[in-house]
């Protein structure tokens, strides 16, 4: 969700219509050839932007700026194009360039103020915001940005002060109410925070801001029933928001509502615009909670998913879980190299290395970087006793697709077959650096440590996983098992962590995730 609609093309865009750049062009006397070229390209870019031809508009504005990069209006137009393309970093760069040419330009100041905050250019954002407030001390949007800066700096009383200034001007302002609520909550007053959210004026029944804020407060308070009610409301307000469906699926699984959870997982994985990254994270819920009770109706929807990326990810998971019948059904629904390479992986897992190798080689003749074919070739080669070949292709698979644990494990198995312990340990270490929250990888690595009499190292990586993924129930269960196997007295610590993880109702954020520089998002560093 947007932080605040400062740069609304309907409200504050300087370049309001296509005649603007034409007028500017024809108003320039004694134009140089380069100026004429720049203005003509800029006028074309503006027309393309209005028609929604964003790729062409980006190319045209680039041509314009290549001819003349000292015309403020061209940088502002580029900012509008980048915003429409969804590139906040590109838009920030454009507005910052415009501001360097005209330090008092209102649109450029607003752009740097807002987008600098959202893209991590905090100093530049704060400077631009302060300049706006020098010119217009009661400007609500600038006051809001200023308050968010205080929130980011954990100066909660100051953030509340800015929110109150806005509310004195605009009673019930939703954004100001949310700013105040977040600051109050982070101060340790959840009751006052919820009251502040409830005081927001409901001017737009379609605005999800209030339930999104309550969702995060209830998440931190570990109130799953209240979270569930916010999710139900958000399903109506944002039916296409797949990230919310994924988040809710995790809650439903963790609270034992498995039928609802499977429906949500199915909805995400069968959506046409599911990204490979989201598909992988969603399938991670199966790794944590299991999929044994998924119905055939739900599975049929996955087979028919319009997202080939999702179906490929599902096939990988099923192959690695040795659910071969279901894996065959998904693989059969694919086409092209995806279908052939996953067929090769399936055959390798089923103990048919010669056939797997034949298919994998055919794929790699056309695409030497196809990860599933590389994994299949590594696994099949190892089964046929070709250890060096298995190592070569396992290493290449890990290099091409470091987020695929199966690629790393293929390289590990080749090193083990070659009896090179240093290689095994190096690959495991690199794999864990790339996938620090993966339980399957930690189990494999710790098992190897135990095989080699290194129980302290096994304990260390199991404990590390609980730090990287404190909400992952399976991680704490495994840590407890490692404690028992190692004869260590850490089992009580593991059981305490397990009890805590059961009420952490959010998928663990990736290590190093920063708190959001805005009004929405998880309370990362409360």
């Amino acid at each position: 969700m947007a932080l605040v609609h400062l740069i609304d093309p309907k409200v504050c865009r300087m370049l309001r219509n296509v005649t603007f750049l034409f007028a500017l062009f024809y108003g320039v006397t004694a134009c140089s050839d380069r100026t004429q070229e720049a203005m003509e390209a800029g006028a074309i870019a503006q027309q393309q932007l209005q028609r929604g031809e964003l790729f062409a508009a980006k190319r045209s504005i680039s041509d314009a700026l290549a001819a003349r990069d000292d015309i403020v209006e061209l940088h502002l137009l580029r900012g509008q194009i980048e915003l429409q393309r969804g590139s906040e970093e590109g838009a920030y760069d454009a507005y910052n360039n415009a501001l360097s040419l005209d330090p008092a330009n209102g649109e450029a100041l607003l752009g740097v103020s807002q987008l600098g905050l959202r893209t991590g250019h905090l100093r530049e954002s704060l400077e631009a915001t302060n300049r706006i407030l020098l010119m217009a001390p009661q400007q609500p949007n600038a006051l809001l940005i200023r308050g968010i800066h205080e929130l980011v700096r954990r100066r909660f009383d100051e953030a509340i002060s800015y929110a109150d200034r806005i509310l004195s001007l605009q009673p019930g302002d939703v954004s100001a109410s949310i700013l105040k609520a977040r600051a109050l909550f982070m101060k340790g007053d959840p009751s006052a925070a919820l009251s502040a959210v409830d005081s927001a004026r409901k001017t737009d029944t379609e605005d999800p801001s209030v339930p999104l804020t309550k969702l995060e407060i209830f998440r931190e308070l570990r109130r799953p029933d209240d979270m569930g009610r916010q999710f139900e409301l958000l399903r109506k307000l944002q039916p296409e928001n797949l990230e919310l469906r994924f988040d809710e699926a995790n809650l439903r699984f963790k609270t034992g509502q498995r039928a609802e959870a499977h429906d949500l997982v199915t909805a995400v994985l069968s959506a046409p615009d599911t990204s490979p990254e989201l598909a992988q994270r969603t399938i991670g819920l199966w790794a944590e909670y299991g999929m044994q009770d998924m119905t055939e109706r739900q599975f049929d929807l996955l087979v028919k998913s319009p997202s080939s990326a999702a179906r490929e990810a599902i096939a990988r998971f099923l192959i690695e879980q040795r659910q071969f019948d279901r894996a065959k059904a998904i693989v059969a629904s694919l086409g092209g190299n995806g279908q052939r390479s996953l067929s090769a992986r399936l055959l390798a897992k089923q103990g048919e290395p010669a056939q797997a190798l034949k298919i994998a080689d055919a794929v790699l003749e056309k695409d030497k970087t196809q990860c599933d074919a590389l994994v299949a070739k590594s696994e099949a080669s190892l089964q046929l006793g070709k250890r060096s070949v298995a190592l070569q292709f396992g290493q290449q698979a890990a290099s091409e697709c470091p987020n695929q644990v199966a690629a790393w494990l293929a390289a590990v198995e080749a090193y083990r077959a070659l009896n090179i312990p240093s290689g095994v340990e190096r690959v495991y270490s690199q794999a864990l650096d790339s996938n620090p929250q993966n339980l399957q990888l930690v189990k494999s690595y710790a098992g190897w440590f135990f095989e080699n009499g290194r129980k302290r190292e096994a304990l260390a990586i199991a404990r590390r996983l609980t730090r990287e993924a404190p909400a992952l129930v399976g991680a704490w269960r495994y840590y407890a098992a490692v404690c028992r196997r190692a004869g260590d007295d850490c089992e009580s610590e593991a059981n305490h962590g397990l009890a805590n993880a059961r009420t952490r109702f959010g998928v663990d954020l990736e290590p190093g995730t920063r708190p959001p520089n805005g009004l929405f998002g998880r309370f990362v560093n409360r």
Side-chain angles (χ1 to χ4, degrees):
M1 169 169 293
L3 169 69
V4 58
H5 301 293
L6 292 185
I7 309 168
D8 189 332
K10 295 180 180 178
V11 178
C12 65
R13 181 167 58 196
M14 283 184 62
L15 309 181
R16 293 182 183 276
N17 55 58
V18 73
T19 64
F20 181 82
L21 279 175
F22 281 126
L24 182 62
F25 167 50
Y26 287 115
V28 175
T29 59
C31 288
S32 69
D33 290 342
R34 293 185 68 80
T35 301
Q36 179 175 344
E37 178 185 348
M39 301 314 296
E40 287 177 343
I44 292 170
Q46 193 173 43
Q47 289 178 316
Q48 292 166 331
L49 172 61
Q50 291 192 330
R51 293 196 298 265
E53 299 168 1
L54 300 181
F55 181 81
K58 179 177 172 62
R59 185 175 58 229
S60 296
I61 196 63
S62 297
D63 291 342
L65 288 167
R68 286 287 300 271
D69 63 358
D70 59 346
I71 299 175
V72 172
E73 288 74 14
L74 294 177
H75 289 286
L76 295 175
L77 178 56
R78 181 192 164 215
Q80 290 292 337
I81 292 168
E82 295 288 4
L83 275 180
Q84 291 297 310
R85 294 181 63 247
S87 173
E88 292 185 346
E89 192 69 52
Y92 166 80
D93 181 63
Y95 286 117
N96 197 38
N97 287 339
L99 194 61
S100 68
L101 294 170
D102 181 2
N105 184 280
E107 185 179 0
L109 281 168
L110 287 171
V112 172
S113 171
Q114 179 184 4
L115 294 167
L117 183 64
R118 287 157 61 166
T119 57
H121 298 89
L122 300 185
R123 179 178 59 81
E124 295 84 353
S125 169
L126 185 57
E127 289 176 356
T129 306
N130 287 336
R131 284 157 66 183
I132 295 170
L133 290 173
L134 280 174
M135 296 183 287
Q138 303 303 316
Q139 214 282 343
N141 286 329
L143 288 171
L144 181 65
I145 297 282
R146 192 67 180 79
I148 294 171
H149 273 284
E150 299 299 343
L151 189 66
V152 170
R153 296 159 72 182
R154 305 185 70 80
R155 296 169 59 173
F156 304 129
D157 288 332
E158 290 84 347
I160 292 168
S161 175
Y162 279 106
D164 284 338
R165 285 176 64 181
I166 301 169
L167 291 168
S168 69
L169 299 167
Q170 301 173 171
D173 182 87
V174 175
S175 295
S177 299
I178 291 172
L179 171 62
K180 185 172 183 176
R182 287 185 75 92
L184 286 166
F185 185 79
M186 295 178 79
K187 276 189 69 176
D189 194 343
S191 178
L194 287 168
S195 294
V197 178
D198 285 331
S199 71
R201 182 178 64 248
K202 310 300 192 300
T203 58
D204 183 357
T205 57
E206 300 301 312
D207 186 353
S209 302
V210 168
L212 281 170
T213 303
K214 285 186 171 182
L215 175 66
E216 296 310 323
I217 292 175
F218 290 137
R219 191 195 306 276
E220 288 298 301
L221 295 176
R222 307 194 184 201
R223 289 164 56 175
D225 291 342
D226 289 317
M227 284 182 68
R229 282 187 278 274
Q230 303 311 308
F231 275 128
E232 288 168 8
L233 181 56
L234 288 164
R235 257 186 265 158
K236 299 173 185 176
L237 295 176
Q238 295 192 319
E240 305 303 318
N241 191 324
L242 298 179
E243 288 285 348
L244 283 172
R245 303 295 88 74
F246 160 74
D247 192 4
E248 184 182 356
N250 178 68
L251 173 73
R252 303 300 180 185
F253 270 128
K254 190 162 266 191
T255 55
Q257 301 170 75
R258 295 186 61 85
E260 295 90 334
H262 282 306
D263 279 339
L264 289 160
V265 166
T266 302
V268 174
L269 294 176
S270 60
D273 53 349
T274 297
S275 67
E277 187 272 339
L278 179 57
Q280 190 59 47
R281 285 191 291 126
T282 303
I283 289 167
L285 297 178
W286 287 339
E288 167 72 342
Y289 301 108
M291 62 176 298
Q292 64 278 2
D293 51 346
M294 171 173 279
T295 67
E296 288 305 312
R297 178 191 64 80
Q298 290 165 334
F299 184 73
D300 286 344
L301 290 174
L302 297 181
V303 174
K304 299 171 185 175
S305 170
S307 171
S308 59
R311 281 181 285 135
E312 288 182 8
I314 295 166
R316 291 187 194 100
F317 177 80
L318 294 172
I319 290 168
E320 289 160 16
Q321 295 294 310
R322 305 187 72 82
Q323 296 188 37
F324 296 140
D325 288 341
R326 281 185 162 178
K328 286 178 183 176
I330 295 288
V331 171
S333 75
L334 298 168
N337 279 347
Q339 192 273 336
R340 288 187 286 273
S341 57
L342 285 164
S343 292
R345 285 193 62 182
L346 181 58
L347 288 165
K349 282 291 186 190
Q350 291 180 300
E352 299 183 43
Q355 187 64 16
L357 201 59
K358 180 180 178 181
I359 296 172
D361 281 336
V363 173
L364 293 172
E365 281 182 11
K366 298 179 180 178
D367 182 359
K368 297 184 183 303
T369 64
Q370 217 289 339
C371 295
D372 291 305
L374 291 168
V375 172
K377 178 149 188 174
S378 177
E379 292 177 343
S381 296
L382 189 60
Q383 291 177 39
L384 293 170
K386 302 175 181 179
R387 301 172 186 175
S388 297
V389 174
L391 177 59
Q392 174 191 343
F393 285 93
Q395 288 176 319
Q396 187 179 348
S399 175
E400 295 290 346
C401 296
N403 64 330
Q404 284 199 28
V405 170
W408 294 101
L409 294 181
V412 163
E413 292 305 314
Y415 268 124
R416 293 188 68 171
L418 290 165
N419 195 25
I420 305 176
S422 61
V424 172
E425 188 164 4
R426 182 176 65 255
V427 172
Y428 268 134
S429 178
Q430 292 171 343
L432 203 56
D433 286 343
S434 297
N435 303 273
Q437 297 172 315
N438 190 279
L439 177 57
Q440 176 194 6
L441 180 60
V442 168
K443 284 183 175 181
S444 180
Y445 196 3
W448 182 76
F449 275 135
F450 275 121
E451 287 176 19
N452 288 274
R454 298 167 63 180
K455 65 180 183 180
R456 302 312 304 174
E457 288 94 332
L459 274 169
I461 63 164
R463 185 181 296 114
R464 171 183 166 182
L465 177 60
T466 63
R467 290 196 299 268
E468 303 288 15
L472 193 66
V473 169
W476 289 102
R477 285 177 178 153
Y478 184 66
Y479 181 35
V482 170
C483 291
R484 290 192 295 272
R485 183 173 178 182
D488 195 274
D489 62 359
C490 59
E491 189 173 358
S492 61
E493 173 198 353
N495 288 332
H496 178 76
L498 175 60
N500 181 50
R502 293 186 194 280
T503 59
R504 295 178 72 113
F505 298 112
V507 174
D508 291 298
L509 300 173
E510 293 184 6
T513 299
R514 296 183 303 174
N517 293 339
L519 294 179
F520 303 98
R522 299 271 288 273
F523 290 96
V524 177
N525 286 326
R526 182 182 170 212

